[in-house]
Amino acid sequence: QVQLQESGPGLVKPSQTLSLTCTVSGDSITTNYYYWNWIRQVPGKGLEWVGVINYAGSSFYSPYLKSRTSISRDTSKNQFTLQLSSVTPEDTGVYYCARDLKLTGAYDYWGQGTQVTVSS
């Protein structure tokens, strides 16, 4: 059974960097052809794909967030981390990590999500 768990601060001040970690159990983040995604849901909008890091360690980002986003991994801990810089209240929402195969968008495992609020 694959499990994903998000962790990180629930409150971030405007202009600061949001940092979230997804800890994976039941599978290795280096397993061939799996992609490890960050997805968010902001109020009044649907799910928004933020970015991904794949089994080989390559990262890809939403073009709308690319200038502010970085995704890295720690294979020794089986974790991957999202950093979103220069946050504004518009970045407030629930952030999820999720797995899919070959970047098809068919996510088979999700974390429970973590609420992040950007506020001074």
Side-chain angles (χ1 to χ4, degrees):
Q1 177 77 6
V2 179
Q3 293 184 316
L4 294 84
Q5 178 67 57
E6 305 91 348
S7 61
L11 180 64
V12 183
K13 288 181 166 49
S15 80
Q16 291 188 342
T17 296
L18 177 163
S19 184
L20 297 174
T21 295
C22 183
T23 301
V24 179
S25 60
D27 188 18
S28 170
I29 60 173
T30 62
T31 299
N32 273 352
Y33 313 129
Y34 281 105
Y35 286 68
W36 304 91
N37 299 265
W38 285 102
I39 298 159
R40 70 181 186 177
Q41 184 157 29
V42 299
K45 298 183 180 179
L47 291 172
E48 178 183 22
W49 181 75
V50 176
V52 66
I53 188 164
N54 71 7
Y55 56 96
S58 297
S59 300
F60 307 93
Y61 307 116
S62 164
Y64 306 105
L65 300 170
K66 183 176 183 178
S67 64
R68 300 193 289 128
T69 307
S70 177
I71 298 176
S72 60
R73 67 180 186 174
D74 185 337
T75 57
S76 67
K77 296 181 180 178
N78 215 35
Q79 296 175 333
F80 60 104
T81 297
L82 167 69
Q83 290 193 307
L84 184 65
S85 64
S86 304
V87 296
T88 72
E90 285 67 40
D91 294 308
T92 293
V94 180
Y95 285 72
Y96 299 90
C97 53
R99 187 186 82 165
D100 81 323
L101 182 62
K102 298 183 179 179
L103 209 60
T104 60
Y107 307 107
D108 56 356
Y109 289 99
W110 291 74
Q112 64 183 20
T114 188
Q115 172 70 43
V116 177
T117 300
V118 180
S119 175
S120 55

